[in-house]
Amino acid sequence: MKSSSILTRRLGTAACALLLSVVSGCKDFLDVAPQGQLTEDQIKTDPAAAQKLVDGVYNVMYLGGFGTDVHGLQYVILTDIASDDSDKGSTPTDYGPAADVDNFTLTSSNGIVNNVWKGYFQGVTRANQALEKIPLSPASDETKNRLLGEVRFLRGYFYFNLVRFFGGVPKLDRVPATSEINDPKLQKRATAEEIYQLIISDLEFAANNLPIKGETETGRATKAAAQGMLAKVYLYQKQYQKALDLTNAITTGQSGAYGLYDDYASIWREVGANSEESIFEVQTGVNAACNNSAVNLYVVSQGPRQGGKGGWADLGFGFNTPTQALADAYEPGDKRRAGTIIFINPAPSGTVLWDGFRIPSKDSVENLRYSYKAYHSRTKEKNCGNNDYLPKNIRILRYAEVLLINAEAAFQVGDVATATTDVNLVRERAGLAPLGAVTLEGIWKERRLELALEHDRFFDLVRQESVQPGRIVPLFAAQGKTFVKGKHELFPIPQEQIDLSGGQLTQNPGY
C-alpha cells in the first residue's frame, strides 16, 4: 500500500466516493502531474516531495475549457457575464448555457455550474490530500508549516469562491477514512457560516505561517496574500474592523513592499506580471508540450471574433463583452476605460491594439466591445503558438483592491478621512482629480471601475445588496434582465451532484 500512488489510493475516497465528481473527472484529476506520481515512501524520505504535493494543488488553478473549470471561460461566465458589467457576447446562438446564466434563466441542469462545482471540489480534494501527507515529510517544521500555509491559503480561496457561488456546500476539511465513504454527513451541505469559519481558519493559519514577499518564490502565496484574502472575506462577514486591521498591515509595509503599478493598462500585459501591485496571481508560462502551463481557453474565449463581412483572422470566440453601462460609467479622462475595454471602431479606421494588431471595423466584427484585460499579444508576448493555452497570468488579488477594501472598511467604522485617502490614491493613478470626502456609493463605484472584468463584480453586487438593499434589481432591470431576490444571489446546486449524492444535497431556493 505504501508504494502505491497516493493520489490513486486516496482520490477515489475523497472525490469519487463522496460523489462530488463523476468518474471521468477523477480520471482527469489523476492524470495531472506531478502529485499523482508521488508515493508515500517518497514523501517520507525526500524533503522535496512535499513541495511537489503543494505544486499539485496550484496546478488545479489551470483547469478550464469546456470541462471541469476553476479559472476558465465557465468561471468567467459565473463572475463577469452574470453581472451588469458584461454580456455573453459571441453570436446570439452560441453557447446556450452561457446565455441562460447571462439572462438568469438557468436551471440546475446547467453544465457550467456543474463544471465549476467539480473544478473547485477537485481543488479542495487535492488540498486535503496534501495537508494529510505534508506532515510525513522529513523537511524542517518551519518548511512544513510554510507548505501547509500555502495549501490552506489555496483551500480557503477555493471554498471562498464555492460559498459565493453556491452558499453552503459540503465541508471537506480532511481526507475521509474508507469507512466514511458512504457517510451522509459528508455529502450534505454545511451552512454558509460553517464554510466561512473554515475559510477564516485556513487563511488565519496561512497568514501566520507564510513568508512575506521576497522571501519565497515569485507566485507562491505570501503573508500579504493570506491577509488580503482574509480581509476580503471579512467584508462579506461585515467584520469591518478586522478587514481594516489586516489591510493596514499591507498598506503600511508590514507584510512586504507593495504599491500601485504606474501604467494601469500594462498591469495585464506580460510586463506587468508579478509587479509591485501583484499580491496573488495565477502563474502561467510556456512548456515543451505547449499545453497545461496556462488556463485552458481563458484568453481565446474572450478574444475579438469575426463577424459581418469577415475577412480577417480573428482572435477568439468573442465571449464576455463589456456592457454599454460599464463603458458609460467612467468619468471623462479615466485611463481605466481604455485599459479595460477594446472598443471596435467604425469604418474605415478599425481598432489598433497596443501591439499593433489591427481589428477591422464594426462591419467585420461580431461584437462592439471586448475585454482588454484578457488580451494576450501573439507577437509581443511569450506564447508557443497554441491559442488554447496562451500564458496570461490571472490577477486574483492586487494592491489596488487592498486599498479599496481598506477604504470600505475604514468608512464603515467611521474613518472617512482614511477611506478618502485610499480612494484618491487609486483615482490618481487613473488620471482623475481627488475627491473631497467619499461616500459608500463612491467607494463601490471606484471598486467597480478599478476591478471591472476581473471576475468579482457579480459577487460584489450580491454583497452590496446585503449592505444596502434595493440596488441590485434595478441595475439588472435597466439591462432588460430579471433578478429575483432570494434566488439569484446564488447559483443552483448542480442536479448531477444532487443525483450522485442520492438526494443528500439539497437545492438552493427557487431552483
Side-chain angles (χ1 to χ4, degrees):
M1 181 65 74
K2 289 184 180 180
S3 63
S4 66
S5 165
I6 294 171
L7 198 59
T8 303
R9 179 167 63 84
R10 285 294 192 185
L11 188 64
T13 298
C16 300
L18 279 176
L19 304 177
L20 294 173
S21 180
V22 295
V23 173
S24 61
C26 296
K27 181 180 184 299
D28 291 341
F29 191 7
L30 290 171
D31 288 343
V32 179
Q35 187 178 2
Q37 299 169 356
L38 295 175
T39 66
E40 193 165 298
D41 281 342
Q42 287 175 300
I43 294 169
K44 288 180 176 179
T45 58
D46 180 5
Q51 182 67 72
K52 293 179 181 178
L53 281 172
V54 177
D55 293 346
V57 184
Y58 281 101
N59 285 350
V60 176
M61 311 279 265
Y62 292 156
L63 291 175
F66 292 102
T68 304
D69 194 297
V70 170
H71 288 123
L73 171 59
Q74 294 166 101
Y75 164 77
V76 172
I77 291 166
L78 296 188
T79 53
D80 283 345
I81 293 174
S83 80
D84 61 336
D85 276 357
S86 65
D87 291 319
K88 176 182 77 70
S90 187
T91 65
T93 58
D94 192 12
Y95 206 7
D100 290 335
V101 173
D102 191 12
N103 295 315
F104 297 111
T105 56
L106 76 164
T107 68
S108 60
S109 63
N110 186 283
I112 294 169
V113 294
N114 191 39
N115 283 331
V116 169
W117 173 286
K118 291 191 293 183
Y120 276 88
F121 270 110
Q122 283 197 19
V124 169
T125 297
R126 186 167 288 195
N128 288 340
Q129 184 75 33
L131 292 172
E132 180 186 64
K133 298 304 178 187
I134 289 170
L136 302 177
S137 172
S140 68
D141 288 344
E142 180 182 2
T143 296
K144 286 190 284 190
N145 282 335
R146 174 180 63 80
L147 297 175
L148 291 169
E150 288 186 57
V151 176
R152 292 190 68 174
F153 169 81
L154 293 171
R155 186 175 69 178
Y157 171 70
F158 294 145
Y159 261 122
F160 186 33
N161 279 350
L162 278 167
V163 77
R164 292 189 294 171
F165 283 132
F166 300 107
V169 292
K171 179 183 174 182
L172 305 178
D173 58 358
R174 59 186 173 81
V175 177
T178 304
S179 60
E180 298 178 288
I181 287 177
N182 295 314
D183 188 343
K185 289 187 295 185
L186 295 177
Q187 299 175 39
K188 290 183 177 180
R189 300 173 67 180
T191 66
E193 185 54 38
E194 288 171 330
I195 297 301
Y196 269 111
Q197 288 309 307
L198 175 62
I199 295 166
I200 290 169
S201 174
D202 277 346
L203 295 177
E204 284 179 339
F205 181 92
N208 290 332
N209 288 279
L210 290 176
I212 65 171
K213 180 181 181 180
E215 296 182 0
T216 187
E217 286 182 283
T218 298
R220 295 195 178 278
T222 61
K223 186 179 188 70
Q227 290 174 321
M229 193 66 68
L230 182 55
K232 190 169 180 176
V233 169
Y234 280 136
L235 276 191
Y236 282 77
Q237 295 281 285
K238 301 183 177 67
Q239 296 189 45
Y240 299 114
Q241 187 61 53
K242 290 182 177 180
L244 183 62
D245 292 343
L246 286 161
T247 48
N248 278 342
I250 301 172
T251 60
T252 57
Q254 298 174 47
S255 303
Y258 296 94
L260 294 174
Y261 192 67
D262 286 341
D263 180 28
Y264 181 85
S266 293
I267 293 172
W268 294 274
R269 299 174 192 168
E270 191 174 278
V271 68
N274 300 309
S275 70
E276 65 262 39
E277 183 150 353
S278 173
I279 294 181
F280 186 71
E281 57 190 75
V282 178
Q283 302 297 305
T284 61
V286 176
N287 64 5
C290 202
N291 64 12
N292 287 338
S293 288
V295 179
N296 188 12
L297 302 187
Y298 178 82
V299 171
V300 72
S301 66
Q302 300 178 72
R305 178 171 181 151
Q306 181 183 140
K309 295 193 302 184
W312 62 292
D314 64 16
L315 298 171
F317 308 161
F319 290 110
N320 196 30
T321 55
T323 59
Q324 186 65 55
L326 174 61
D328 292 344
Y330 294 91
E331 297 173 40
D334 192 331
K335 298 176 182 177
R336 296 173 297 192
R337 187 175 189 264
T340 300
I341 304 173
I342 297 172
F343 291 92
I344 306 303
N345 295 320
S349 61
T351 300
V352 179
L353 303 181
W354 68 264
D355 59 354
F357 185 91
R358 181 184 180 276
I359 301 173
S361 54
K362 291 179 180 179
D363 58 2
S364 299
V365 184
E366 183 64 37
N367 310 105
L368 300 179
R369 293 171 294 276
Y370 294 96
S371 172
Y372 226 149
K373 293 180 178 180
Y375 178 67
H376 187 87
S377 174
R378 275 65 158 179
T379 58
K380 303 294 185 180
E381 297 180 306
K382 293 186 182 70
N383 68 86
C384 57
N386 185 345
N387 286 338
D388 288 352
Y389 290 96
L390 289 167
K392 180 172 218 53
N393 285 13
I394 300 177
R395 282 64 172 172
I396 301 296
L397 184 65
R398 51 190 182 88
Y399 186 70
E401 182 172 10
V402 167
L403 286 173
L404 292 170
I405 293 171
N406 190 267
E408 186 170 344
F411 183 91
Q412 291 287 17
V413 301
D415 187 354
V416 178
T418 293
T420 302
T421 298
D422 289 335
V423 168
N424 283 336
L425 286 171
V426 174
R427 287 176 60 84
E428 181 182 10
R429 198 253 306 267
L432 299 176
L435 300 175
V438 296
T439 63
L440 185 59
E441 285 282 356
I443 295 169
W444 286 347
K445 180 180 179 182
E446 289 301 324
R447 183 174 176 86
R448 179 190 188 185
L449 300 178
E450 177 68 28
L451 305 176
L453 307 182
E454 292 181 52
H455 322 310
D456 221 43
R457 175 63 175 171
F458 178 77
F459 296 142
D460 265 347
L461 288 175
V462 172
R463 178 179 66 83
Q464 292 163 9
E465 179 71 14
S466 74
V467 176
Q468 195 177 93
R471 301 176 73 253
I472 198 167
V473 171
L475 283 173
F476 282 110
Q479 297 184 6
K481 300 172 185 179
T482 302
F483 182 98
V484 178
K485 286 195 67 172
K487 175 182 180 180
H488 290 134
E489 292 88 349
L490 299 172
F491 295 103
I493 303 298
Q495 188 61 46
E496 179 178 297
Q497 305 305 321
I498 294 174
D499 293 342
L500 287 168
S501 75
Q504 296 292 338
L505 285 172
T506 56
Q507 187 54 270
N508 279 326
Y511 290 102

